[in-house]
Amino acid sequence: MTIAPGWALAQHAAALLAVDPAGLGGVLLRGLSPDLRERWEALLRGLLPSGTPWRTLPPHIGDERLLGGLDLGATLRLARPVAQRGLLAECDGGLLRVPQAQQLGAALAARLAAVLDDGEVRLAREGFARRDPARLALLAYDDGVEGDDPPPAALADRLALRLDLSGLSWRDTGPSAPWTAEAVAAARERLPQLPTDEAALEALCAAAEALGIASSRAPWFALRVARAAAALAGRSSVEQGDAELAARLVLAPRAMRLPPAPPPDEAPPPEQAEAPERENAGDETAEAGTLEDRLIEAARSSIDPRLLAQLQIARLAGAPRGGAGKRGALQRSLLRGRPIGTLAGEPRRGARLNLIDTLRAAAPWQPLRRREARSAAAVQVRREDFRVTRHQMHRRTTAVFAVDASGSAALHRLAEAKGAVELLLADCYVRRDQVAVLGFRAAGAELLLPPTRSLPRAKRALAGLPGGGGTPLAAGLDAAWVVADAARRRGDTPLVVLLTDGRANIARDGTPDRARAEQDALASAARWRGAGIAALLVDTSPRPDPRARALAERMQARYLPLPMAEAATLSAAVRQAAAALPRA
């Protein structure tokens, strides 16, 4: 049975992670079906030493269970503070599974990242301080669908390996991996003896720069992967094949651009052939350059061009802010939403008392309170011990499409806008987001679709969107402002997506005057500055137009030139822009 290249690479990644789990930090996996996930994890378990800790991160885990803290039962029983280890300390020397990594909050991701950096859990709370070793690796699963937010960058950057196995099935797996637990154990013992290859590190750094990778961790992780590969193969030093494997596993998934293709081979100039005495002096430089080129080529062969297109859209649309990069703004509440911890306070105005954390806050003070009150009461709880549960919920996003339906633009852009709106509405029911559409042409703008989550209604409204006529850009901006401001007043997070080439030729009063029309458009755009309404201007010109860029700068909008945009590309750009919305 033939093994798919993706599965063979996944098997190799499992063996490398078993050789140096804490050094590599872990692996970020995407696209594994449940049966393949079980098979890959069984392969990894078989390569690890017997008794290696293996835990799963529960959703919405609290700090006391994650990091450790007060053992409430033992503290109340013994009348003195008793500490307990947390989940991360229990994973020392092992692995922690993180399902749904794309849904991790910024605070939880920061705690995991700190433990990966330090290799220990530092705890100072509730009357005691301690440090527990926690050298572990993460198995982070990105279970989101296309267009969802990625796992938090602060955490993903600390995981050396990244695998996207979308499209693989059970029949692609073939026989078991060629490595045994004994071979991995021997490689683990051999790894500390391998020297650090400075030439390989320099070539990996150069390859990372050529691929547009800004993180300094990437080439260092790639070197660790190359050393683990050499140890697994029984070698005493890193060879070219080890570095190429590291480029495919570490650098290629992080690439933000494709380097230019190498020029065709040319014959060396005559002076080089006639000067053999100078060849030895440049051997090291030539070898380093050759290794760098081969590493770039190895990474290039592993990069999906569609992934690079999505990364380019993400870069132009703006990277998510606020750590986790969740869609929409976040609201803190004491009444509704997902629990995110507790806060000192009284249970009034509907806030819920958290009994466990209230007792946890009161427990360390029991001996002192019993002596003061001269009472043998089991537990004495005072007002300052009260803890109420905090909640967090996402505010709904309202995306307002303002489509330039004038002249020839309608022939090319209206179909793309219609398709993008339909793709975005397909998952609005789950996300509770809304979409509105307005078109501007001829003498003014028209609201074709008020904010809605109804896909049939959107299709009916979009089907009747006419095209042709002049470009009343100022009227379109004014109409988009009214819809976005109304959404903001309702408590939603508005996002305006303006599709135009920026060539205004109809003034605000409806007269065909290009000079006045451009002045009116810039004046309408100026009101957006500092207004707190996020905007994305999609330049629909065949080539990026300076007028559209100037309009985006005046609006303080993100500028995205998409001369060859399709519905899927445009919807992905809007999702990225929505993910970058500021938090409340």
Side-chain angles (χ1 to χ4, degrees), residues 330-389:
L330 296 178
Q331 278 185 315
R332 298 292 172 84
S333 171
L334 295 176
L335 304 178
R336 295 180 297 170
R338 177 173 62 86
I340 58 169
T342 57
L343 182 71
E346 297 183 28
R348 54 187 177 184
R349 294 193 301 273
R352 301 184 182 98
L353 178 69
N354 190 303
L355 180 59
I356 299 300
D357 280 5
T358 298
L359 293 175
R360 195 183 303 278
W365 304 97
Q366 294 308 300
L368 178 61
R369 291 177 182 176
R370 287 175 185 144
R371 288 195 299 269
E372 289 179 350
R374 298 180 181 180
S375 172
V379 180
Q380 296 189 24
V381 178
R382 297 182 180 177
R383 186 174 182 177
E384 60 266 23
D385 302 326
F386 289 164
R387 298 293 185 269
V388 294
T389 303

Side-chain angles (χ1 to χ4, degrees), residues 505-575:
N505 55 26
I506 301 296
R508 183 180 280 109
D509 59 4
T511 58
D513 187 330
R514 185 179 299 276
R516 284 183 54 199
E518 292 180 352
Q519 294 177 358
D520 289 346
L522 292 176
S524 296
R527 70 188 300 187
W528 295 72
R529 298 181 66 89
I533 297 179
L536 170 66
L537 192 150
V538 180
D539 186 352
T540 59
S541 305
R543 288 184 294 273
D545 194 299
R547 285 170 288 191
R549 183 183 290 275
L551 185 67
E553 293 176 355
R554 179 67 65 94
M555 295 176 61
Q556 289 186 333
R558 293 183 177 88
Y559 174 74
L560 180 62
L562 286 181
M564 302 300 292
E566 298 176 350
T569 309
L570 180 56
S571 63
V574 176
R575 287 190 180 98

Side-chain angles (χ1 to χ4, degrees), residues 16 57 216 236 243 293 306 355 377 397 428 505 532:
L16 296 174
L57 184 72
S216 60
S236 58
D293 295 338
R306 295 173 301 174
L355 180 59
T397 298
C428 274
N505 55 26

Side-chain angles (χ1 to χ4, degrees), residues 313-324:
I313 290 173
R315 183 179 65 82
L316 290 172
R321 294 187 295 257

